[in-house]
Each structure stands twice: as C-alpha cells, then as structure tokens.
Amino acid sequence: MKKGLTAKGRATRQRIVVAAALLIREKGIADTSLDDVRAVTATSKSQLFHYFPEGRSDLLAAVTEYEAAQVLEAQQPFLGDLSTWESWQDWQHAVLTHYTELGQRCPLGSLTAELGKSSPRTRAVVSSLYDKWEAALVRGVETVTSAGRDAALGRARSILTAVQGGVVMLQTTGRTDYLEAALTEAISPLRPVGTQAASV
C-alpha cells in the first residue's frame, strides 16, 4: 500500500498512524477503536480503509512498526555513537528516561500481544528492531573494548536482555530500579579501569 501512495497520501497515512499510536499510549490498546482514531484524525471510514484495507489489524501493524522505530529513536544520538564510556552512560540514561516515561504501559509489547507473536508481520517487525539494536550495541562494545566479534556479540546480547528483562519487571511492578540495576551491571565491564559510574 505505501509504495503506491503519493507523497501527500504517505503523509496522511503517517499522520493517522502517529495519532493512533498516541491514543494507544494514552488509553491502552483495548480502549482504542477505529472510531476514536477517525475522530482525532478527522478521517472518514472509507478514507481510513483506503490506507488500511484490513481495518484494525492493518492499522495496528502499522502502529507496531512506528513504535518499534520509536524505541530506537528514543536512544539517539547515543546509540549511534557508543564510542566512549561517557556515551554509554548517556545511552543508559536515555533508555531509563524512555521507559520511565512509558511506565507500566509498553505500547510495543501490547501491540505484539494483540496481533499475535506468531504473526509473520509482527515477527518481522520485532526481529528487525532487535537486529538493528543489537548491531549498534555490538559496534559500541567493539569500539570501547578489545573484544573480538563473538565476545562483543555476547556482551551486546547481555545488555539487550538486561533492558528487556528490566522492562518486563517495570511492567509488572511499576518500578524502574530493576531496569536500572540490570543495565548498570550489564554495561559495567565496559567501564575503563579507574573511572566511576555516574549516577543515573
């Protein structure tokens, strides 16, 4: 669908996706209907189905893609240049800030649960997110250490797992200290000898 749209059509579709994403963040996925989206975007039913032919599932899939992109965007510019210990600390702060602002409501998690983890489209979105995230972390680990590729990959995956585990505990407890502790421990081997970890 997106490939066949004009520039104006792509902009309109994106406007609807962003509005739907903000609604879901505010109200939750179960309480966000197509009528709600139509109301806040001032679009007709026919217009909505023009951009999202399969209706709710199609729109939610598009919002999932948007929210996955936001996960990475919230970590910039630090994720793109993890070349110093200071940049790793700034990145950690950005991650904590992002998930603290979201609190117990994780829109990406809710969306993937709604669409089904077995959905090929959902799996592709989530896999792409983790691949990009992991690749950035690997580059950062390799830059600040003398670790080989395999060791850097292992450290990057430990860091990513620490983030996701901390987020799961945040969702169930409402507390960010698990995420902070896990992330601090995961990146601590990257800290140069003789330096102190800054408080986040």
Side-chain angles (χ1 to χ4, degrees):
M1 164 60 73
K2 288 186 287 185
K3 292 181 180 179
L5 294 177
T6 63
K8 182 179 179 181
R10 288 193 297 273
T12 299
R13 183 181 186 277
Q14 183 65 8
R15 178 174 61 82
I16 296 171
V17 169
V18 173
L22 293 177
L23 270 179
I24 289 171
R25 286 190 180 198
E26 178 185 348
K27 301 177 60 177
I29 192 168
D31 294 324
T32 301
S33 67
L34 290 182
D35 286 339
D36 294 329
V37 176
R38 286 178 51 212
V40 299
T41 58
T43 55
S44 65
K45 186 174 182 179
S46 61
Q47 188 178 21
L48 194 65
F49 277 87
H50 169 70
Y51 293 112
F52 308 98
E54 297 176 24
R56 179 180 172 83
S57 64
D58 209 4
L59 175 59
L60 292 181
V63 174
T64 301
E65 294 174 355
Y66 170 80
E67 288 291 5
Q70 294 309 296
V71 170
L72 297 179
E73 182 62 29
Q75 301 174 53
Q76 298 298 350
F78 314 109
L79 185 63
D81 183 22
L82 294 169
S83 58
T84 65
W85 173 241
E86 290 72 25
S87 64
W88 276 97
Q89 291 178 305
D90 288 338
W91 170 77
Q92 179 185 10
H93 180 73
V95 171
L96 289 170
T97 298
H98 175 66
Y99 285 108
T100 298
E101 289 175 351
L102 289 178
Q104 290 178 273
R105 180 168 290 162
C106 178
L108 185 59
S110 299
L111 286 159
T112 54
E114 170 80 10
L115 292 168
K117 295 179 181 179
S118 61
S119 162
R121 187 170 177 181
T122 303
R123 287 175 65 88
V125 170
V126 175
S127 293
S128 178
L129 165 64
Y130 286 140
D131 286 347
K132 292 175 183 176
W133 200 346
E134 178 184 284
L137 294 174
V138 168
R139 287 193 298 271
V141 173
E142 289 179 322
T143 300
V144 299
T145 70
S146 57
R149 178 69 181 182
D150 289 346
L153 179 59
R155 175 52 53 190
R157 288 180 174 174
S158 294
I159 294 168
L160 187 51
T161 301
V163 174
Q164 293 306 298
V167 169
V168 170
M169 296 192 75
L170 167 60
Q171 290 173 326
T172 55
T173 67
R175 294 166 54 187
T176 59
D177 48 344
Y178 295 107
L179 173 59
E180 181 176 349
L183 197 45
T184 297
E185 185 68 22
I187 71 170
S188 62
L190 307 178
R191 184 171 60 246
V193 176
T195 60
Q196 296 283 337
S199 174
V200 291

